[in-house]
Structures are given as structure tokens and as C-alpha cells.
Amino acid sequence: AAKPVRKTAPKQVEAYRRVVAIDPSYAAAWNNLGLLLHRRGQYDDARAAYATALDQDPTCCEAAYNLGSLEEDCGHVEPAVWYYHRALELSPDYADAHFNLAGALARSGRPTEAIQHWQRYLELDAGSPWARIARAHLQLADEPDEAPDSGPS
């Protein structure tokens, strides 16, 4: 199992639980609750919160993206790819979804597909700190006998 990125205060989690108890249709609150639970390593609860966000607002690209990130953190690359694709269906210019999808595709042995998403990421966010990583993947892909490393997971 993946390790939590950082701990969050239980008061934040409880505050969001109160918000969704008052307004169960508030997709953004469900998504934010999912982020907090995800960071705490409570993956099943986070997955349920993200899924509820998508149920309440099927256009919530952030929830689809976060489900992809969660699945990737749990070592489930194919579901991650599916959710990143879903996020991009909802928001085609979602740079971070292109970046994460490219990495997941590279890890799943689909470098040609990954290249398209590294390139699109750079078109959308060439000045970000992550752009250097995308450029490195593209450079490695151009080298004949080198397979791009997917980077740290």
C-alpha cells in the first residue's frame, strides 16, 4: 500500500464531513473530503468520497483526476489510466491529468500513447516545475534503445 503524502488535521476531515452531512449534493466538498482522506492514507474512504463527488456532479473533472491519482497510489495502473482519461473527457486542457496519464501509460508499457500526453502537457504548462520531467521523458523516447523511466511513484 502507498504511504500517505502528509497528515491532515482530523478537524479538517470532520468539518468536511459536517458539510456533506448538511448538503450531500455538494460535489466540491466530497472531492475535498476525498483529498483529505487520501492524504491521511484512508484510501477506501477517499475512493468513496471521490466517487460520491462524481455521482453528485458527473462533470467534476477534479474528482475523476483524484480517483486516478488514488488508484495509481494503490498500484492500480489501469483504473488510474481510465480515470485520467475520464478527467480529460470532462476537461481536455487539464494539464495535470495529461501529465499523470502520460506517466501511468509509460508504466503500463504504452510509451507511444504516453508521448502524446507528455507533449500535450508541455503545450499547456511549459513553464511548470514538472515540465522538465515531461521534456526528459520525450528526450528519452527519442533515443533509439532507451525506454523512458516513469520517474518516482
Side-chain angles (χ1 to χ4, degrees):
K3 294 181 182 176
V5 175
R6 59 184 165 223
K7 294 292 181 184
T8 57
K11 288 181 182 180
Q12 293 172 309
V13 171
E14 288 313 309
Y16 275 104
R17 287 191 193 280
R18 284 193 302 275
V19 169
V20 297
I22 293 167
D23 184 358
S25 68
Y26 192 1
W30 281 108
N31 185 61
N32 289 341
L33 175 59
L35 282 168
L36 293 171
L37 294 167
H38 188 166
R39 289 178 185 147
R40 292 174 61 87
Q42 295 174 254
Y43 300 123
D44 291 339
D45 291 341
R47 186 178 289 109
Y50 293 144
T52 302
L54 270 178
D55 287 344
Q56 296 305 315
D57 179 3
T59 68
C60 185
C61 63
E62 294 86 357
Y65 170 83
N66 289 332
L67 275 162
S69 178
L70 175 72
E71 293 298 345
E72 204 168 359
D73 287 349
C74 292
H76 308 141
V77 177
E78 288 309 314
V81 166
W82 190 90
Y83 281 115
Y84 292 141
H85 274 296
R86 180 72 182 124
L88 290 169
E89 287 172 12
L90 297 168
S91 181
D93 293 338
Y94 194 165
D96 289 346
H98 281 286
F99 184 91
N100 282 17
L101 176 56
L105 289 166
R107 278 187 286 288
S108 68
R110 294 185 267 177
T112 304
E113 289 177 69
I115 287 168
Q116 297 168 11
H117 292 284
W118 292 125
Q119 289 170 334
R120 184 65 181 134
Y121 174 78
L122 288 172
E123 291 169 9
L124 295 167
D125 203 3
S128 86
W130 300 104
R132 182 179 56 82
I133 294 168
R135 285 187 197 95
H137 282 282
L138 289 172
Q139 183 178 7
L140 286 171
D142 284 342
E143 295 175 10
D145 294 317
E146 296 290 326
D149 178 26
S150 61
S153 44

